[in-house]
Amino acid sequence: MIIKPTSLTMSQLLGSKNEQYVIPAYQRRFSWKEKQLAELWHDIDILGTQDTHLLGSIVCLTGAHTAGINQLELVDGQQRLTSLCILLHCIKDRLNEEGQEDEVRELGAMLHAKAPNGDVAAKIRLDSLDADEFRKHVKGETPERVFNTDLAHAFTCLRELVADKTMEDVKQFLYRLVNESIIVRLDVTNAKDAFKLFETINNRGLKLSPPDIIKNFILGNAARFGERQLDLAREKWGELLCNLDGVNVETFFRYFLVASLKSRVRASFVIGGFKKLFMQSVWEAEKLPEIHWYADSPAEPDEIADEDADDPEENELTAEEELEFAGPISRIPFREFINRLTTFAKIYAQIYNAATGNAKLDRRLRNLKMIKSLQSYGFLMSMRAGGCDDVTFEKVLELTEAFMLRRHVCRERSSENESIFGRLCGADPASPLEMAVEVYREFCPTDDQFRESFASVEFGTNLIERARYCLEQIEVTNHGSYQELAVLGPENVHVEHIIPLKIKSKKAKEEWGDWPSYLGDKSDLRHPRYVSRIGNLTLFAGSLNIGASNNPYSRKKAAYKESSIRMTNELPKRFSDFRFAQVDKRSTTLADSAIKLWPIP
């Protein structure tokens, strides 16, 4: 590996008129938060006389320089360099406002590259998903639609920091930034070396994210396979990021592995598991000298948490645990592997966002998301990618809906859910129903278990969408009023606690009435055990402020009577009073409905 390190001030880094730093499409979106931006500002602002500050390092993939604008592909350091570029633009705008023409001209020269024929281009060019928004922000315009709130906030934050300074302070800060702040530029001419180098760099002690490590593993090995494979890998990684925009990329890789290996994949071993899958399934990898490392290697731990687990202890894994490969892996060309990966990413995003374009499927997928059924996504992705037709897939979704709600309500272990769906990835996508029904019946809680748990389980804040799902489905089944819910819109319909979440504070009494007196003796002790049960929840549109009263439920009834949602509208008729006994009674009634609505497959 030939690396050419050069220590450069910002003035020197950006001073070469025929060099342009390109942030390629395969790089993730800008993601620095206010904390990192504030640290960047502070580190430079506190520099004393003749002090220097090391901003960090960047890795550039370079070629032979020519007379035109030479593009340097930024393999590492895009977050830092983009932040510095934003900062310089914000300072330039302030200088321009103050009529500092000489300084504006000098700064403009740093921010632009110029070819011998006079063509001008941005010194730091984004080809990533942020490109259009970045250009708008630089011009001081507001994008029609903001996809990256971190990018928008970075411009806002740094503009505010610059605006709060005197003109003298701004000029002094700019001098320190361009003349006393150092970046180490590591130039690498070989692509595979550049991507390998990335993995060894740890800026400011921050751990690389699993997608970054996987990206560089793919690109680095693609470079070893040949130029065409590297170009394909760059293109496909950019496509993958585009497909997964707004989706948790780490989680996608976990469920891609589940679908590929037909086995449970522990959250701690996504990186090592992916490397092992790649090495054991890509034809070109057979000739790599380190192939023997992946014959039976333990995976590397990472910090991905299971978003779908209700109990955080489900993710506490021992270091000795290893990824279980269900069986031999078939070898395929690299092109087929990377195409398969991007296809799965597109399908995963459709499943996660409930955006297949089929209204029936999307409604079912929305339901699964409300239930928190992420553990099923590897199986669903596998079926969809395998060509499962829409009619069969809808039936699979319906069965999965009932199965997962029952298991979640009955607090079955998350780890067992993962094993179940890993096993189901072995089903034939053309006819998965027989295997799905067999497995679901084997692991589905009984009616008695489900009824008892449904009536007593607490739908706390983190499970409120699951409660909304249950109430919506009961409302639609009992009253056929899905159309009303759709017209009102999910953003206007919320889960209403009949007995409020808070009843003891002064503010709660002012807003919701004297519930402690109304509920009776020991209400403060009993309230936490009842307030989040299904029997105390209903759907309501609009705001509700009942005011203080010694019978606050009576005040609520007037608003409930006006509701177009039938289960809420009927509350005053069914319950003249509403205390803990009524919560128990209504919970039992709703549990009886749940048994019929979500039967054992």
Side-chain angles (χ1 to χ4, degrees), residues 79 148 164 393 413:
Q79 299 288 330
N148 190 343
D164 285 343
F393 193 60
R413 287 188 62 81

Side-chain angles (χ1 to χ4, degrees), residues 122-373:
K123 173 65 70 170
I124 300 171
R125 193 185 95 196
L126 275 72
D127 283 345
S128 65
L129 292 172
D130 291 327
D132 290 337
E133 285 181 69
F134 184 83
R135 283 192 288 269
K136 291 274 189 182
H137 288 305
V138 165
K139 294 178 182 178
E141 301 173 1
T142 302
E144 293 179 8
R145 186 176 175 188
V146 176
F147 291 95
N148 190 343
T149 55
D150 288 333
L151 182 65
H153 184 67
F155 274 93
T156 300
C157 176
L158 292 176
R159 281 188 175 124
E160 289 175 353
L161 279 170
V162 173
D164 285 343
K165 301 294 182 180
T166 65
M167 196 68 252
E168 182 181 349
D169 287 340
V170 170
K171 288 184 178 181
Q172 189 175 43
F173 179 89
L174 179 60
Y175 180 85
R176 292 168 178 163
L177 174 60
V178 300
N179 296 300
E180 297 174 348
S181 301
I182 305 297
I183 281 186
V184 176
R185 193 174 98 176
L186 303 171
D187 289 353
V188 185
T189 57
N190 189 304
K192 64 181 177 62
D193 290 342
F195 296 118
K196 186 65 178 176
L197 177 61
F198 175 89
E199 290 191 45
T200 67
I201 294 176
N202 191 336
N203 289 321
R204 291 182 69 92
L206 295 176
K207 188 179 186 297
L208 292 175
S209 71
D212 283 335
I213 294 172
I214 290 171
K215 174 195 71 179
N216 283 277
F217 178 81
I218 291 174
L219 296 180
N221 281 294
R224 300 165 79 184
F225 299 155
E227 193 64 32
R228 284 187 301 174
Q229 287 92 332
L230 176 58
D231 289 343
L232 177 66
R234 285 174 169 141
E235 175 192 342
K236 290 299 180 179
W237 189 270
E239 184 180 324
L240 179 144
L241 289 183
C242 186
N243 287 332
L244 295 176
D245 193 24
V247 176
N248 188 308
V249 182
E250 290 96 327
T251 308
F252 158 70
F253 276 105
R254 181 179 181 190
Y255 291 107
F256 170 74
L257 286 173
V258 170
S260 300
L261 303 175
K262 303 173 179 57
S263 171
R264 176 192 176 195
V265 176
R266 294 168 174 83
S268 298
F269 302 110
V270 170
I271 296 170
F274 184 87
K275 289 181 178 181
K276 187 172 180 180
L277 173 68
F278 182 96
M279 287 296 190
Q280 291 192 5
S281 60
V282 174
W283 273 348
E284 291 89 336
E286 280 188 298
K287 298 179 181 179
L288 296 179
E290 69 272 26
I291 185 67
H292 64 280
W293 296 350
Y294 298 92
D296 189 24
S297 61
E300 301 171 29
D302 63 276
E303 297 175 356
I304 301 174
D306 181 3
E307 298 175 359
D308 198 34
D310 298 337
D311 183 359
E313 291 184 2
E314 293 285 356
N315 293 309
E316 293 182 0
L317 306 169
T318 64
E320 290 76 21
E321 288 182 302
E322 294 186 16
L323 177 64
E324 298 172 0
F325 276 51
I329 306 297
S330 300
R331 285 202 177 272
I332 56 177
F334 174 74
R335 174 178 291 274
E336 187 176 333
F337 179 90
I338 198 70
N339 282 331
R340 182 173 183 270
L341 182 65
T342 50
T343 297
F344 269 72
K346 182 177 181 179
I347 291 170
Y348 182 84
Q350 290 175 348
I351 290 171
Y352 184 85
N353 294 319
T356 66
N358 181 311
K360 291 182 179 179
L361 298 183
D362 291 344
R363 189 181 300 175
R364 291 288 183 190
L365 289 168
R366 171 183 174 268
N367 291 346
L368 285 175
K369 190 171 184 179
M370 294 175 75
I371 294 171
K372 294 184 71 174
S373 186

